[in-house]
Amino acid sequence: MSDLLYSEEEEALRAAVRDLLTDHCDAPGVIARTESDAPHDLAAWKALAEGMGLAGLLVPEEKGGQGASYREVAVVLEELGRAVAPVPYLTSAVVATEALLACDADDLLAELASGRRIGALAVALNIAPGGAHTVVRHEGGALYGELTAIADVAAADVLLVPADDGGLYAVDASAVTVTPQIPFDLTRPLAAVTLDGAQGRLLGDAETAVHRALRAGAGLLASEQLGLADWALTETVRYLKERKQFNRPVGGFQALKHRLAQLWLEVVNLRAAARHAADALATGEDTDIAVAVAQAYAASVAVHAAEEALQLHAGIGMTWEHPVHLYLKRAKADSIAYGTAGAHRARLAELVDLQAP
């Protein structure tokens, strides 16, 4: 059994990422971005990807990356979740990168690893690993079709597009029409992509690449959900210690203590599930089971934590200026990203041969 505690290196990485996000992704700035035409914080992305080299954590050193593991990526995603950072890290540095690792596309992999280019897998954000997804038509060397609910495509330079001939194609973002769709989570924009005769470069087998990419996306999304839930719990405890009612701190009331204690237990359990999923991805041991367990549990905890934060901040929590609404929207959107909890429970039942009656 691997050690699921954080190593000294992982804690140092966490501190560095948190410092960077404190400088780049303060709550008023993130809220202001959601109201603009450019929700992605490309300055923060540049600092993470090029400044710290974090876009290449999953890429071996001989292919231009850092040669780290999923455990380090999980720590980065915890901090990005804690800041609801509007950067395409999960979609480019994890999902698109994993798809390329399953193919023979070292030049593109090196570009994504360096952060010079941003990639997006052209599969809808709600698709679970192994789930059916839309493909485009490959005809006469060109690609035709429409794909919807693609995350972070507005920031992408290259799209990885699955086609009906079984291939995964690299398509330049300038060769497609991107139509923004209104997302529930304004910090992770969605868009429809229309291909009308776009030229693509064949990278490899789409089924293998997409499954690998979505499995890593689902497994590591749990770490983002953990960071989000941990922020909600920490901020709510801090607020209830300061807020006074009847001349005493609100946090002293027994009923609220019980709610916070229950939430703390849920967050601790989520940390164990998310760490196990990241470790299983790194070691290759029972990976499918660990990912399914983490995603079966993570959504409800993240949503519950954000809901409790909203309610226990009372009137101030209902304002647009307070960032808690960003966390609730991210938690709700994450609850269907890379498969719903129900889909992962059904998958888990298959994996451990425990079918429903």
Side-chain angles (χ1 to χ4, degrees), residues 233 237 240 250-266 304 308 312:
L233 174 63
V237 169
L240 293 183
V250 175
F253 291 103
Q254 190 75 7
L256 298 191
K257 285 183 180 178
H258 285 173
R259 285 170 68 169
L260 291 169
Q262 175 61 36
L263 190 55
W264 181 83
L265 285 172
E266 291 178 17
H304 183 219
E308 288 288 74
L312 296 177

PDB file of all heavy atoms in Angstrom, residues 233 237 240 250-266 304 308 312:
ATOM      1  N   LEU A 233     -14.979  24.855   3.856  1.00  0.00           N
ATOM      2  CA  LEU A 233     -14.984  24.540   5.285  1.00  0.00           C
ATOM      3  C   LEU A 233     -14.130  25.546   6.067  1.00  0.00           C
ATOM      4  O   LEU A 233     -14.570  26.102   7.076  1.00  0.00           O
ATOM      5  CB  LEU A 233     -14.450  23.116   5.494  1.00  0.00           C
ATOM      6  CG  LEU A 233     -14.262  22.681   6.950  1.00  0.00           C
ATOM      7  CD1 LEU A 233     -15.594  22.664   7.687  1.00  0.00           C
ATOM      8  CD2 LEU A 233     -13.601  21.304   7.015  1.00  0.00           C
ATOM      9  N   VAL A 237     -15.567  28.232   8.879  1.00  0.00           N
ATOM     10  CA  VAL A 237     -15.138  28.187  10.283  1.00  0.00           C
ATOM     11  C   VAL A 237     -14.569  29.554  10.695  1.00  0.00           C
ATOM     12  O   VAL A 237     -14.894  30.086  11.765  1.00  0.00           O
ATOM     13  CB  VAL A 237     -14.085  27.077  10.492  1.00  0.00           C
ATOM     14  CG1 VAL A 237     -13.439  27.206  11.872  1.00  0.00           C
ATOM     15  CG2 VAL A 237     -14.727  25.707  10.336  1.00  0.00           C
ATOM     16  N   LEU A 240     -17.427  32.093  11.108  1.00  0.00           N
ATOM     17  CA  LEU A 240     -18.291  31.862  12.267  1.00  0.00           C
ATOM     18  C   LEU A 240     -17.578  32.163  13.587  1.00  0.00           C
ATOM     19  O   LEU A 240     -18.225  32.386  14.611  1.00  0.00           O
ATOM     20  CB  LEU A 240     -18.815  30.422  12.262  1.00  0.00           C
ATOM     21  CG  LEU A 240     -19.786  30.081  11.116  1.00  0.00           C
ATOM     22  CD1 LEU A 240     -20.289  28.664  11.243  1.00  0.00           C
ATOM     23  CD2 LEU A 240     -20.967  31.053  11.090  1.00  0.00           C
ATOM     24  N   VAL A 250     -20.950  33.292  16.583  1.00  0.00           N
ATOM     25  CA  VAL A 250     -21.960  32.370  16.049  1.00  0.00           C
ATOM     26  C   VAL A 250     -21.432  30.931  16.065  1.00  0.00           C
ATOM     27  O   VAL A 250     -22.184  29.979  16.264  1.00  0.00           O
ATOM     28  CB  VAL A 250     -22.332  32.793  14.603  1.00  0.00           C
ATOM     29  CG1 VAL A 250     -23.288  31.786  13.971  1.00  0.00           C
ATOM     30  CG2 VAL A 250     -22.979  34.160  14.617  1.00  0.00           C
ATOM     31  N   GLY A 251     -20.120  30.788  15.870  1.00  0.00           N
ATOM     32  CA  GLY A 251     -19.527  29.452  15.854  1.00  0.00           C
ATOM     33  C   GLY A 251     -19.641  28.715  17.173  1.00  0.00           C
ATOM     34  O   GLY A 251     -19.408  27.506  17.235  1.00  0.00           O
ATOM     35  N   GLY A 252     -20.016  29.410  18.240  1.00  0.00           N
ATOM     36  CA  GLY A 252     -20.167  28.761  19.536  1.00  0.00           C
ATOM     37  C   GLY A 252     -21.485  28.023  19.695  1.00  0.00           C
ATOM     38  O   GLY A 252     -21.658  27.246  20.643  1.00  0.00           O
ATOM     39  N   PHE A 253     -22.425  28.237  18.796  1.00  0.00           N
ATOM     40  CA  PHE A 253     -23.731  27.577  18.916  1.00  0.00           C
ATOM     41  C   PHE A 253     -23.610  26.094  18.555  1.00  0.00           C
ATOM     42  O   PHE A 253     -23.041  25.735  17.515  1.00  0.00           O
ATOM     43  CB  PHE A 253     -24.768  28.268  18.033  1.00  0.00           C
ATOM     44  CG  PHE A 253     -25.130  29.648  18.513  1.00  0.00           C
ATOM     45  CD1 PHE A 253     -24.620  30.775  17.871  1.00  0.00           C
ATOM     46  CD2 PHE A 253     -25.948  29.814  19.620  1.00  0.00           C
ATOM     47  CE1 PHE A 253     -24.934  32.042  18.334  1.00  0.00           C
ATOM     48  CE2 PHE A 253     -26.268  31.084  20.072  1.00  0.00           C
ATOM     49  CZ  PHE A 253     -25.759  32.203  19.435  1.00  0.00           C
ATOM     50  N   GLN A 254     -24.170  25.251  19.394  1.00  0.00           N
ATOM     51  CA  GLN A 254     -23.998  23.800  19.260  1.00  0.00           C
ATOM     52  C   GLN A 254     -24.482  23.266  17.907  1.00  0.00           C
ATOM     53  O   GLN A 254     -23.831  22.426  17.295  1.00  0.00           O
ATOM     54  CB  GLN A 254     -24.770  23.099  20.397  1.00  0.00           C
ATOM     55  CG  GLN A 254     -24.482  21.610  20.528  1.00  0.00           C
ATOM     56  CD  GLN A 254     -23.127  21.348  21.167  1.00  0.00           C
ATOM     57  OE1 GLN A 254     -22.472  22.270  21.628  1.00  0.00           O
ATOM     58  NE2 GLN A 254     -22.703  20.100  21.164  1.00  0.00           N
ATOM     59  N   ALA A 255     -25.599  23.766  17.434  1.00  0.00           N
ATOM     60  CA  ALA A 255     -26.156  23.252  16.169  1.00  0.00           C
ATOM     61  C   ALA A 255     -25.195  23.497  15.002  1.00  0.00           C
ATOM     62  O   ALA A 255     -25.039  22.643  14.122  1.00  0.00           O
ATOM     63  CB  ALA A 255     -27.501  23.908  15.878  1.00  0.00           C
ATOM     64  N   LEU A 256     -24.531  24.652  15.012  1.00  0.00           N
ATOM     65  CA  LEU A 256     -23.587  24.943  13.939  1.00  0.00           C
ATOM     66  C   LEU A 256     -22.313  24.130  14.086  1.00  0.00           C
ATOM     67  O   LEU A 256     -21.704  23.722  13.091  1.00  0.00           O
ATOM     68  CB  LEU A 256     -23.262  26.444  13.908  1.00  0.00           C
ATOM     69  CG  LEU A 256     -24.448  27.371  13.634  1.00  0.00           C
ATOM     70  CD1 LEU A 256     -23.957  28.790  13.371  1.00  0.00           C
ATOM     71  CD2 LEU A 256     -25.272  26.883  12.447  1.00  0.00           C
ATOM     72  N   LYS A 257     -21.902  23.882  15.339  1.00  0.00           N
ATOM     73  CA  LYS A 257     -20.744  23.026  15.566  1.00  0.00           C
ATOM     74  C   LYS A 257     -20.978  21.633  14.967  1.00  0.00           C
ATOM     75  O   LYS A 257     -20.086  21.033  14.364  1.00  0.00           O
ATOM     76  CB  LYS A 257     -20.459  22.884  17.069  1.00  0.00           C
ATOM     77  CG  LYS A 257     -19.824  24.106  17.716  1.00  0.00           C
ATOM     78  CD  LYS A 257     -19.537  23.791  19.182  1.00  0.00           C
ATOM     79  CE  LYS A 257     -18.895  24.975  19.885  1.00  0.00           C
ATOM     80  NZ  LYS A 257     -18.669  24.677  21.317  1.00  0.00           N
ATOM     81  N   HIS A 258     -22.181  21.120  15.156  1.00  0.00           N
ATOM     82  CA  HIS A 258     -22.508  19.794  14.624  1.00  0.00           C
ATOM     83  C   HIS A 258     -22.422  19.783  13.099  1.00  0.00           C
ATOM     84  O   HIS A 258     -21.905  18.829  12.493  1.00  0.00           O
ATOM     85  CB  HIS A 258     -23.913  19.376  15.076  1.00  0.00           C
ATOM     86  CG  HIS A 258     -23.962  18.950  16.506  1.00  0.00           C
ATOM     87  ND1 HIS A 258     -25.151  18.675  17.156  1.00  0.00           N
ATOM     88  CD2 HIS A 258     -22.984  18.757  17.416  1.00  0.00           C
ATOM     89  CE1 HIS A 258     -24.891  18.328  18.415  1.00  0.00           C
ATOM     90  NE2 HIS A 258     -23.590  18.376  18.599  1.00  0.00           N
ATOM     91  N   ARG A 259     -22.947  20.825  12.471  1.00  0.00           N
ATOM     92  CA  ARG A 259     -22.909  20.893  10.998  1.00  0.00           C
ATOM     93  C   ARG A 259     -21.474  20.953  10.487  1.00  0.00           C
ATOM     94  O   ARG A 259     -21.116  20.287   9.511  1.00  0.00           O
ATOM     95  CB  ARG A 259     -23.709  22.100  10.504  1.00  0.00           C
ATOM     96  CG  ARG A 259     -25.207  21.884  10.598  1.00  0.00           C
ATOM     97  CD  ARG A 259     -26.002  23.146  10.352  1.00  0.00           C
ATOM     98  NE  ARG A 259     -25.927  23.624   8.970  1.00  0.00           N
ATOM     99  CZ  ARG A 259     -26.721  24.585   8.487  1.00  0.00           C
ATOM    100  NH1 ARG A 259     -27.635  25.142   9.275  1.00  0.00           N
ATOM    101  NH2 ARG A 259     -26.599  24.978   7.235  1.00  0.00           N
ATOM    102  N   LEU A 260     -20.646  21.735  11.171  1.00  0.00           N
ATOM    103  CA  LEU A 260     -19.249  21.861  10.747  1.00  0.00           C
ATOM    104  C   LEU A 260     -18.466  20.574  11.011  1.00  0.00           C
ATOM    105  O   LEU A 260     -17.600  20.191  10.214  1.00  0.00           O
ATOM    106  CB  LEU A 260     -18.587  23.036  11.464  1.00  0.00           C
ATOM    107  CG  LEU A 260     -19.105  24.417  11.052  1.00  0.00           C
ATOM    108  CD1 LEU A 260     -18.580  25.488  11.990  1.00  0.00           C
ATOM    109  CD2 LEU A 260     -18.719  24.737   9.619  1.00  0.00           C
ATOM    110  N   ALA A 261     -18.767  19.905  12.118  1.00  0.00           N
ATOM    111  CA  ALA A 261     -18.083  18.633  12.421  1.00  0.00           C
ATOM    112  C   ALA A 261     -18.419  17.584  11.357  1.00  0.00           C
ATOM    113  O   ALA A 261     -17.537  16.847  10.899  1.00  0.00           O
ATOM    114  CB  ALA A 261     -18.489  18.134  13.806  1.00  0.00           C
ATOM    115  N   GLN A 262     -19.686  17.540  10.964  1.00  0.00           N
ATOM    116  CA  GLN A 262     -20.094  16.596   9.919  1.00  0.00           C
ATOM    117  C   GLN A 262     -19.381  16.910   8.603  1.00  0.00           C
ATOM    118  O   GLN A 262     -18.886  16.010   7.913  1.00  0.00           O
ATOM    119  CB  GLN A 262     -21.613  16.675   9.728  1.00  0.00           C
ATOM    120  CG  GLN A 262     -22.160  15.833   8.576  1.00  0.00           C
ATOM    121  CD  GLN A 262     -21.884  14.347   8.760  1.00  0.00           C
ATOM    122  OE1 GLN A 262     -21.925  13.844   9.882  1.00  0.00           O
ATOM    123  NE2 GLN A 262     -21.591  13.653   7.662  1.00  0.00           N
ATOM    124  N   LEU A 263     -19.297  18.185   8.290  1.00  0.00           N
ATOM    125  CA  LEU A 263     -18.637  18.595   7.046  1.00  0.00           C
ATOM    126  C   LEU A 263     -17.140  18.267   7.105  1.00  0.00           C
ATOM    127  O   LEU A 263     -16.555  17.812   6.113  1.00  0.00           O
ATOM    128  CB  LEU A 263     -18.850  20.091   6.812  1.00  0.00           C
ATOM    129  CG  LEU A 263     -18.428  20.639   5.456  1.00  0.00           C
ATOM    130  CD1 LEU A 263     -19.101  19.882   4.326  1.00  0.00           C
ATOM    131  CD2 LEU A 263     -18.747  22.131   5.359  1.00  0.00           C
ATOM    132  N   TRP A 264     -16.525  18.462   8.262  1.00  0.00           N
ATOM    133  CA  TRP A 264     -15.096  18.142   8.411  1.00  0.00           C
ATOM    134  C   TRP A 264     -14.847  16.664   8.134  1.00  0.00           C
ATOM    135  O   TRP A 264     -13.896  16.303   7.440  1.00  0.00           O
ATOM    136  CB  TRP A 264     -14.639  18.509   9.822  1.00  0.00           C
ATOM    137  CG  TRP A 264     -13.168  18.237  10.041  1.00  0.00           C
ATOM    138  CD1 TRP A 264     -12.122  19.036   9.698  1.00  0.00           C
ATOM    139  CD2 TRP A 264     -12.598  17.068  10.643  1.00  0.00           C
ATOM    140  NE1 TRP A 264     -10.927  18.440  10.048  1.00  0.00           N
ATOM    141  CE2 TRP A 264     -11.186  17.236  10.623  1.00  0.00           C
ATOM    142  CE3 TRP A 264     -13.134  15.903  11.194  1.00  0.00           C
ATOM    143  CZ2 TRP A 264     -10.312  16.272  11.148  1.00  0.00           C
ATOM    144  CZ3 TRP A 264     -12.266  14.945  11.713  1.00  0.00           C
ATOM    145  CH2 TRP A 264     -10.877  15.136  11.682  1.00  0.00           C
ATOM    146  N   LEU A 265     -15.717  15.805   8.664  1.00  0.00           N
ATOM    147  CA  LEU A 265     -15.569  14.363   8.421  1.00  0.00           C
ATOM    148  C   LEU A 265     -15.672  14.047   6.929  1.00  0.00           C
ATOM    149  O   LEU A 265     -14.898  13.234   6.404  1.00  0.00           O
ATOM    150  CB  LEU A 265     -16.654  13.580   9.184  1.00  0.00           C
ATOM    151  CG  LEU A 265     -16.453  13.446  10.695  1.00  0.00           C
ATOM    152  CD1 LEU A 265     -17.693  12.833  11.333  1.00  0.00           C
ATOM    153  CD2 LEU A 265     -15.226  12.587  10.998  1.00  0.00           C
ATOM    154  N   GLU A 266     -16.616  14.688   6.263  1.00  0.00           N
ATOM    155  CA  GLU A 266     -16.788  14.444   4.824  1.00  0.00           C
ATOM    156  C   GLU A 266     -15.554  14.881   4.046  1.00  0.00           C
ATOM    157  O   GLU A 266     -15.103  14.191   3.127  1.00  0.00           O
ATOM    158  CB  GLU A 266     -18.030  15.173   4.309  1.00  0.00           C
ATOM    159  CG  GLU A 266     -19.342  14.596   4.820  1.00  0.00           C
ATOM    160  CD  GLU A 266     -20.549  15.379   4.326  1.00  0.00           C
ATOM    161  OE1 GLU A 266     -20.419  16.155   3.363  1.00  0.00           O
ATOM    162  OE2 GLU A 266     -21.630  15.215   4.921  1.00  0.00           O
ATOM    163  N   HIS A 304     -22.063  19.867  -1.012  1.00  0.00           N
ATOM    164  CA  HIS A 304     -22.516  20.082   0.363  1.00  0.00           C
ATOM    165  C   HIS A 304     -21.665  21.155   1.053  1.00  0.00           C
ATOM    166  O   HIS A 304     -22.192  22.043   1.745  1.00  0.00           O
ATOM    167  CB  HIS A 304     -22.445  18.767   1.154  1.00  0.00           C
ATOM    168  CG  HIS A 304     -22.951  18.868   2.553  1.00  0.00           C
ATOM    169  ND1 HIS A 304     -22.357  18.232   3.630  1.00  0.00           N
ATOM    170  CD2 HIS A 304     -23.985  19.573   3.078  1.00  0.00           C
ATOM    171  CE1 HIS A 304     -23.017  18.532   4.737  1.00  0.00           C
ATOM    172  NE2 HIS A 304     -24.006  19.333   4.438  1.00  0.00           N
ATOM    173  N   GLU A 308     -23.171  24.635   2.437  1.00  0.00           N
ATOM    174  CA  GLU A 308     -23.049  25.025   3.846  1.00  0.00           C
ATOM    175  C   GLU A 308     -22.344  26.384   3.970  1.00  0.00           C
ATOM    176  O   GLU A 308     -22.727  27.218   4.788  1.00  0.00           O
ATOM    177  CB  GLU A 308     -22.272  23.960   4.628  1.00  0.00           C
ATOM    178  CG  GLU A 308     -23.043  22.668   4.863  1.00  0.00           C
ATOM    179  CD  GLU A 308     -24.157  22.831   5.884  1.00  0.00           C
ATOM    180  OE1 GLU A 308     -25.202  23.456   5.539  1.00  0.00           O
ATOM    181  OE2 GLU A 308     -24.021  22.366   7.020  1.00  0.00           O
ATOM    182  N   LEU A 312     -24.175  29.386   5.804  1.00  0.00           N
ATOM    183  CA  LEU A 312     -23.644  29.830   7.085  1.00  0.00           C
ATOM    184  C   LEU A 312     -22.968  31.199   7.003  1.00  0.00           C
ATOM    185  O   LEU A 312     -22.698  31.814   8.027  1.00  0.00           O
ATOM    186  CB  LEU A 312     -22.678  28.771   7.644  1.00  0.00           C
ATOM    187  CG  LEU A 312     -23.368  27.429   7.973  1.00  0.00           C
ATOM    188  CD1 LEU A 312     -22.359  26.403   8.461  1.00  0.00           C
ATOM    189  CD2 LEU A 312     -24.470  27.598   9.003  1.00  0.00           C
TER     190      LEU A 312
END
